[in-house]
């Protein structure tokens, strides 16, 4: 299976080292970055697609709970804490699990297996590609046909995807990461964490803001801007 991309957020270097060593023992996990400050992790998460975040709760300036609450489309979050009484607060922010320090490998593995099963469930059965020009999505209890050239954009909304087409929209369970395997170049481009655009739907550009033909304004991630301009033939 495709590896699940992870990051670690903890102000204690030893704690980060332990989780890093655990990740290397799990074949389906891939560590993409490790942060000692949650504010830096937030910037990274806004511009990069990550499957699992291992985050300490208690951190100076910007806590793990505040990090989770700041994310518009959060990945799976597994909190790490030295205090069991913080667990309830963690679950209220949408965390999938919590690990108590010192973290045992067997407990770590149980948490990531649960996260893996959840992510696999999200990726399957909600979107069906029939051929190269159309898909069917499960929405409102039925299968709805959408022609790819009708799609203006797809927006991630928590565990769901919103497909906006000419004349309407539909919502279904799924992830943008899974949709990138269906909505590809040269027609579609993921401009930031929460949006995949049909390049033909772009009406105008102003700095890092995109206006679409339906009037929707979307920001482009800084690390995607140059590629977007090139795809649109702008030098």
């Amino acid at each position: 299976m495709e590896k699940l991309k992870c990051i670690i957020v903890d102000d204690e270097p030893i704690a980060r080292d332990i989780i890093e060593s655990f990740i290397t023992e799990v074949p389906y996990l891939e560590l993409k970055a490790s942060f000692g400050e949650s504010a830096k992790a937030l910037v990274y998460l806004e511009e990069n697609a990550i499957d699992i975040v291992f985050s300490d709760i208690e951190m100076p300036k910007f806590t793990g709970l505040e990090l989770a609450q700041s994310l518009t489309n959060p990945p799976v979050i597994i909190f790490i804490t030295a205090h069991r009484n913080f667990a309830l607060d963690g679950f209220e922010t949408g965390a999938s699990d919590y690990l108590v320090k010192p973290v045992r490998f067997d407990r770590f593995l149980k948490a990531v297996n649960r996260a893996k099963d959840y992510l696999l469930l999200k990726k399957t059965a909600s979107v069906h590609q029939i051929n190269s020009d159309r898909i069917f999505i499960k929405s409102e209890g039925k299968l709805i046909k959408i022609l790819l050239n009708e799609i203006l954009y797809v927006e991630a909304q928590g565990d769901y995807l919103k497909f906006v087409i000419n004349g309407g929209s539909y919502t279904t369970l799924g992830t943008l990461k899974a949709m990138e395997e269906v909505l590809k170049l040269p027609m579609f481009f993921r401009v930031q964490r929460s949006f995949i655009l049909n390049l033909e739907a772009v009406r105008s550009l102003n700095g890092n803001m995109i206006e679409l033909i339906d009037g929707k304004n979307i920001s482009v991630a800084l690390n995607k801007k140059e590629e977007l301009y090139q795809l649109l033939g702008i030098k």
Side-chain angles (χ1 to χ4, degrees):
M1 65 171 290
E2 182 180 354
K3 289 191 174 186
L4 301 178
K5 298 180 176 61
C6 311
I7 70 167
I8 301 168
V9 190
D10 198 313
D11 61 316
E12 298 179 2
I14 294 176
R16 293 198 304 273
D17 290 343
I18 291 171
I19 300 301
E20 287 179 19
S21 69
F22 286 174
I23 288 173
T24 62
E25 296 295 320
V26 182
Y28 61 80
L29 296 182
E30 179 183 5
L31 180 63
K32 302 300 292 184
S34 184
F35 299 94
E37 298 178 23
S38 51
K40 291 181 179 179
L42 177 60
V43 173
Y44 182 89
L45 288 167
E46 290 296 335
E47 297 188 349
N48 295 275
I50 293 297
D51 299 301
I52 304 174
V53 174
F54 299 97
S55 177
D56 188 17
I57 291 181
E58 291 183 284
M59 288 182 285
K61 298 182 181 179
F62 194 52
T63 70
L65 296 176
E66 291 169 332
L67 170 64
Q69 293 165 349
S70 300
L71 297 171
T72 55
N73 182 32
V76 171
I77 298 175
I78 298 175
F79 277 124
I80 302 169
T81 177
H83 305 284
R84 290 181 181 274
N85 59 316
F86 283 129
L88 180 59
D89 291 336
F91 283 124
E92 287 178 349
T93 67
S96 71
D97 208 339
Y98 76 98
L99 302 173
V100 177
K101 296 179 180 179
V103 179
R104 303 190 322 268
F105 179 74
D106 62 326
R107 184 64 183 85
F108 171 87
L109 189 59
K110 182 178 179 180
V112 296
N113 280 333
R114 183 181 298 157
K116 179 190 68 172
D117 292 343
Y118 170 73
L119 290 167
L120 286 174
L121 179 64
K122 284 178 65 177
K123 290 179 181 179
T124 59
S126 293
V127 179
H128 305 266
Q129 184 164 11
I130 303 304
N131 55 41
S132 60
D133 70 343
R134 70 196 63 190
I135 58 175
F136 278 80
I137 69 170
K138 287 184 178 180
S139 183
E140 300 174 355
K142 55 189 175 183
L143 285 170
I144 298 170
K145 182 181 74 175
I146 300 179
L147 298 178
L148 297 190
N149 61 12
E150 291 180 331
I151 298 172
L152 302 182
Y153 63 90
V154 181
E155 179 182 2
Q157 297 183 332
D159 293 338
Y160 292 85
L161 296 173
K162 180 180 179 182
F163 288 77
V164 177
I165 64 173
N166 289 311
S169 65
Y170 301 98
T171 301
T172 190
L173 186 69
T175 66
L176 276 191
K177 184 175 182 180
M179 284 312 305
E180 283 186 288
E181 299 300 314
V182 178
L183 305 181
K184 302 177 180 180
L185 290 171
M187 184 182 295
F188 295 94
F189 181 63
R190 186 169 182 173
V191 296
Q192 49 129 298
R193 180 176 178 81
S194 299
F195 288 91
I196 295 176
L197 304 186
N198 184 337
L199 295 174
E200 292 297 321
V202 175
R203 169 178 287 164
S204 66
L205 299 164
N206 182 12
N208 71 327
M209 294 301 299
I210 307 163
E211 181 188 10
L212 303 183
I213 58 176
D214 67 342
K216 175 76 171 180
N217 289 286
I218 298 170
S219 63
V220 56
L222 294 178
N223 63 340
K224 298 279 189 175
K225 181 179 176 181
E226 182 178 351
E227 186 177 359
L228 173 65
Y229 274 57
Q230 289 175 348
L231 291 169
L232 294 173
I234 302 170
K235 298 181 179 180

